Structures are given as structure tokens and as C-alpha cells.
Amino acid sequence: MKRARLNPEQVVQAACDMADAEGLEATTLSALARALGIQPPSLYRHIDSYGALIAAIAARGLEDLRERLSSAAAGRSGPTAVHAVADAYRAYAHEHPGRYAATTAFGTIRGHDAYGTAGQAILDVLSATLREWDLDDPARIDAIRGLRAALHGFVSLERSHGFAMDQSVDGSFTALVNALIAGLDAGGGPA
């Protein structure tokens, strides 16, 4: 029986699934070829380098994350929107750890158009989430950076078991988001 031909979408999906299940660092071209039941040179018909593979995983992760954040923010504004977006961000990072890790592998993916486009879409969602505060451009950029840094830092520490203290991590996350909102309410940037 002749095996069906792979297409680039199937290769990227398999890479995303592998990254989530086994870790981004385990998602190599040779491991992906084995998982797909093909020889490594056959992958080059679909992905031209390891950097392109990571960029494709990152772009898919950012597209998925943008969709998740947009859905969370839909119909909400102000603090309610910020909490919904923060919760969606955190949930996505835990549900798709490999894709999420790829989204922050900046050195590997610089210059890939799909990554840049998807990354801008995330910034647009965050900017819209902060619309209620009517920030000027410098303050809006500061607020977006502060929000991203706080969420990424929290999720990274949480995923690496960096919160060993005997207190609810969920409660701490809510307190963090409340502090960010208080900073916005106080005059423009995260606390």
C-alpha cells in the first residue's frame, strides 16, 4: 500500500504535537522524521532548516494564542478583559508547553515573516485589551511590555516549579493581575 504524501501543514502539526508532548528541545528534524515515518532528507521538502521548524512551531503557537486571547477578551473591557486575557494566556502556556516555548525562542526565529506577523497580532490583542485606559503610545507600549513580562515570568516560574511556598498559586496569579490593573488605574503602566 502506498503511503499518503505529507504536506507542510501535516509536518508543522506533527512538530507542534511533538514539542508539546516531549519538549521543544526534543523536537529535532531527525526525531520529527522518525515520528512521521520518513527519512530526514524527506523533511527538507517541507521545512528547509531547524530554524524554520522552530519558527513554524512559534508562528502556530502565536496564532493559537492570539485566537485564545481574542476569544477571552471578546465582549469584555477593562479589568474583566485583562483578567480573562491573563487567564487564557496562562492556560495556553500550560496546555501547549512546547508551542509556548517556541514563541519565546527569539534567537532561533528572527527574520521569519510568519512569526513576525503572528507576534504583531498578539500585540494588537493586548493593545485592544488595554483600550479602556486610553493610554498614549509610550504608556501603551510600556503597559503591553509590563503585562507580557509579568505573565511570561509567572508562567515560566510556575512551569519550572519555582513556587514552592505553601500558598495558592492561583491566588498569587490573581493578585499579580490585580496589581497590574492597579498600576493601569494609577496612571498608565503596570505597577
Side-chain angles (χ1 to χ4, degrees):
M1 180 198 297
K2 190 173 182 178
R3 183 173 54 211
R5 294 183 63 127
L6 286 174
N7 63 47
E9 175 62 27
Q10 291 168 314
V11 171
V12 171
Q13 185 61 51
C16 288
D17 294 343
M18 178 180 281
D20 286 341
E22 300 176 29
L24 185 62
E25 61 285 340
T27 307
T28 63
L29 291 171
S30 60
L32 182 59
R34 274 192 308 277
L36 292 169
I38 61 174
Q39 294 297 315
S42 297
L43 268 181
Y44 289 102
R45 293 182 189 140
H46 309 290
I47 298 288
D48 65 3
S49 67
Y50 178 72
L53 178 67
I54 299 304
I57 295 168
R60 172 71 59 80
L62 287 172
E63 290 166 9
D64 293 348
L65 181 58
R66 181 212 45 84
E67 187 175 299
R68 182 80 64 93
L69 299 181
S70 293
S71 292
R76 294 179 171 95
S77 63
T80 303
V82 173
H83 274 285
V85 164
D87 290 342
Y89 185 101
R90 182 179 176 213
Y92 183 83
H94 286 292
E95 291 166 19
H96 299 286
R99 292 174 216 205
Y100 181 75
T103 68
T104 61
F106 303 112
T108 308
I109 53 184
R110 275 201 165 86
H112 290 274
D113 291 341
Y115 175 78
T117 300
Q120 184 58 53
I122 294 282
L123 297 178
D124 293 343
V125 170
L126 294 177
S127 182
T129 301
L130 299 172
R131 189 170 291 135
E132 182 171 303
W133 284 275
D134 195 28
L135 304 169
D136 63 18
D137 281 345
R140 183 180 45 78
I141 291 169
D142 290 344
I144 290 169
R145 286 178 176 165
L147 180 60
R148 287 181 62 216
L151 296 177
H152 175 69
F154 192 96
V155 164
S156 296
L157 286 167
E158 185 177 24
R159 289 192 60 242
S160 66
H161 308 289
F163 295 133
M165 293 177 267
D166 188 27
Q167 183 169 316
S168 167
V169 175
D170 293 339
S172 294
F173 186 74
T174 298
L176 170 68
V177 176
N178 285 337
L180 293 170
I181 291 167
L184 290 163
D185 288 343

